Amino acid sequence: INAEYGRTAAMPPMRPTQERMDSFLDRFGDYVSINTSQDDTHLTTEAGAVAGHRTSQYSTMTWDQLSSEGQASLTDLKEHGSTILKNFLSPEMLAELSSEVDRVLAPCPLGRNDFGGTRTRRAYAALAKTRVLDSILTDPRLLELVESLFAPNPLLSVIQILEILPGEKPQKLHYDQQFQNHHPPREVSVFNMIIAVDDFTPENGATTILPDSHLWPQERAPNHSDPRACLEMPAGSVAPFVGTLWHGGGGNTTDKPRRAVLIVFQQPWYRPLENSFLAVPFKTAIELHPKIQSMLGYSLHHPFVGAVDNRHPALALRQLAAKL
């Protein structure tokens, strides 16, 4: 069914997965306390990145596994909360994305409230509506950033296409982890990526950020004196930023819309904002790249979070697909 990737080859080995689950359970005892998370040793810190040190508390990646570009981006994210990858998409990919964005947005209504934007159109659950984003989601340059911040098998929380129309007002400032009751609330467990389909300028609604605000304590809120910056970038660029960074969409004072794609990843143990199991039809899910299937939740968080009948959910996916 999936000629490009091959469904059978894409499935993870099931027996080793079950053996790891059984091995983990066998370690329990009446007088033993087991922590499923990794410890805090050998972490990469802002003070100094060392080869062999892990890039974050829950990641299995080490600093030396990152590309030089990935190291620079991760440093920006840790120190300032955001970075910009200019001209990330090729001209051909940008043209294809632009065309698909227009098609997908065409039937979408305007927003219902000020926060979502009454002059903003959004297409939610974009993976159910287009395949143009698949190659972006599996791009090694983006994956290494996601995997450097999170535990294995991070999930997609949101993937949407949006268009800020002329006359839209600035969005209220917020940080995205506010919406999911994360604990601890200021530990980075959400990671955003904005793909600029059009040039982002201060006039057409480019996202406003408060640099370094990801380092603020939980009780700290913005005030008028806090420095602000605009994620100004050419079309085809990507702006990653962490989920604890205060930000908001800008107002559009031009006579043209500003289009973008928003992709939000999260730690695998949190419930995503979008329910991808219902939003993405099953017949679509079985055709996706195995990496994207994992992002949608057809994956396990160690040792068995997300299991189906005490087995890997990819096995259930394969079995259900065989019945179609």
Side-chain angles (χ1 to χ4, degrees), residues 3-320:
E4 183 176 357
Y5 304 113
R7 179 188 299 148
T8 302
M11 292 299 117
M14 298 306 161
R15 186 168 298 280
T17 297
Q18 290 180 269
E19 289 174 355
R20 285 196 300 271
M21 293 165 62
D22 293 341
S23 175
F24 176 83
L25 291 173
D26 287 342
R27 291 163 56 197
F28 278 88
D30 289 339
Y31 307 105
V32 178
S33 176
I34 296 178
N35 188 346
T36 60
S37 66
Q38 301 179 42
D39 60 31
D40 293 329
T41 59
H42 305 302
L43 292 182
T44 297
T45 67
E46 292 83 352
V50 180
H53 283 204
R54 288 189 288 108
T55 53
S56 65
Q57 179 177 354
Y58 301 105
S59 175
T60 58
M61 291 191 69
T62 57
W63 182 256
D64 50 303
Q65 290 177 313
L66 293 173
S67 65
S68 58
E69 294 82 3
Q71 291 176 354
S73 295
L74 185 58
T75 299
D76 283 343
L77 290 167
K78 285 177 175 287
E79 294 181 355
H80 305 296
S82 69
T83 191
I84 292 179
L85 310 176
K86 288 189 176 180
N87 301 311
F88 185 88
L89 302 180
S90 68
E92 295 77 17
M93 180 61 194
L94 178 59
E96 182 183 3
L97 177 61
S98 178
S99 176
E100 273 293 271
V101 162
D102 286 342
R103 181 189 66 80
V104 172
L105 283 173
C108 296
L110 294 174
R112 303 191 305 266
N113 53 63
D114 288 341
F115 186 83
T118 57
R119 294 287 299 159
T120 296
R121 293 192 296 171
R122 298 175 187 265
Y124 298 94
L127 286 177
K129 301 174 174 69
T130 178
R131 301 272 57 81
V132 75
L133 301 173
D134 292 14
S135 61
I136 298 175
L137 286 171
T138 55
D139 191 298
R141 295 171 294 174
L142 294 187
L143 287 178
E144 72 169 351
L145 286 181
V146 177
E147 293 170 359
S148 71
L149 289 171
F150 293 152
N153 301 321
L155 298 177
L156 272 173
S157 184
V158 171
I159 180 163
Q160 65 178 240
I161 298 169
L162 63 151
E163 179 180 49
I164 294 180
L165 298 174
E168 181 62 281
K169 298 178 294 185
Q171 187 184 36
K172 293 179 175 66
L173 294 174
H174 61 284
Y175 64 93
D176 288 345
Q177 287 184 200
Q178 288 176 305
F179 304 124
Q180 290 176 282
N181 196 28
H182 289 212
H183 296 283
R186 298 297 289 170
E187 178 182 275
V188 173
S189 51
V190 167
F191 181 47
N192 301 342
M193 295 183 184
I194 298 178
I195 303 171
V197 183
D198 299 303
D199 292 342
F200 270 42
T201 70
E203 295 78 24
N204 74 356
T207 302
T208 297
I209 63 169
L210 278 64
D212 305 341
S213 60
H214 68 304
L215 303 175
W216 292 356
Q218 180 187 1
E219 63 274 10
R220 170 84 154 86
N223 59 57
H224 293 293
S225 64
D226 289 320
R228 305 184 184 200
C230 174
L231 290 179
E232 191 169 3
M233 55 184 168
S237 302
V238 177
F241 60 96
V242 296
T244 48
L245 187 76
W246 285 86
H247 68 281
N252 189 348
T253 60
T254 72
D255 59 357
K256 295 180 180 179
R258 190 274 282 163
R259 301 167 299 162
V261 176
L262 174 63
I263 302 173
V264 182
F265 290 94
Q266 64 173 53
Q267 291 283 23
W269 53 82
Y270 285 112
R271 182 172 182 172
L273 289 179
E274 291 187 335
N275 188 327
S276 294
F277 293 118
L278 293 178
V280 180
F282 179 70
K283 289 186 178 181
T284 300
I286 63 175
E287 300 295 337
L288 295 175
H289 188 288
K291 196 72 175 179
I292 301 176
Q293 291 175 348
S294 175
M295 295 172 186
L296 291 177
Y298 297 98
S299 54
L300 282 178
H301 171 56
H302 178 75
F304 41 67
V305 178
V308 177
D309 260 352
N310 202 35
R311 294 180 294 174
H312 198 290
L315 177 60
L317 185 68
R318 181 172 62 188
Q319 291 174 333
L320 289 171

